[in-house]
Amino acid sequence: MSESSETVVAPTGAQLAAARKFVKAHGKPSRAVVENIGRAGARVVLVGADGALGDVVVPSVATGEALVEAVEDLDPATWDAETVNQAKIGPEHRRKMAGK
């Protein structure tokens, strides 16, 4: 039996479409890091082959993992050196992160 009692809620069509659109726009393979964001669920951070960043918010980590598994050319990843180095954070994104 699984250590987690979390029920897997399947990703919605909109969530799947957003991830597939990202992969199509930013190259294959793209990477996905699933991050727990508490009560809000999980954030699937997408890192394109071209270094672009995107995200999809889902109800749980299990749903995020199911999303990654369901999208062709989207590889599960962690924030290891290879994934971090692939991400290209431009000036616009930095300003957004700074709240400007």
Side-chain angles (χ1 to χ4, degrees):
M1 181 167 217
S2 172
E3 291 180 14
S4 172
S5 61
E6 186 177 309
T7 302
V8 178
V9 175
T12 66
Q15 292 163 339
L16 289 166
R20 288 179 179 129
K21 181 178 178 183
F22 181 88
V23 172
K24 184 176 182 182
H26 298 288
K28 304 173 190 177
S30 290
R31 296 170 182 247
V33 179
V34 180
E35 301 176 331
N36 184 341
I37 55 174
R39 288 188 210 169
R43 179 178 182 221
V44 181
V45 182
L46 306 170
V47 181
D50 64 357
L53 291 172
D55 67 351
V56 178
V57 176
V58 294
S60 69
V61 170
T63 302
E65 291 167 348
L67 176 111
V68 175
E69 192 173 309
V71 176
E72 189 175 343
D73 296 313
L74 187 58
D75 296 340
T78 60
W79 287 117
D80 57 11
E82 194 174 334
T83 302
V84 170
N85 289 334
Q86 184 172 325
K88 292 181 178 45
I89 301 173
E92 182 178 328
H93 193 82
R94 290 181 193 279
R95 281 192 292 277
K96 187 175 179 181
M97 288 190 300
K100 296 180 180 181

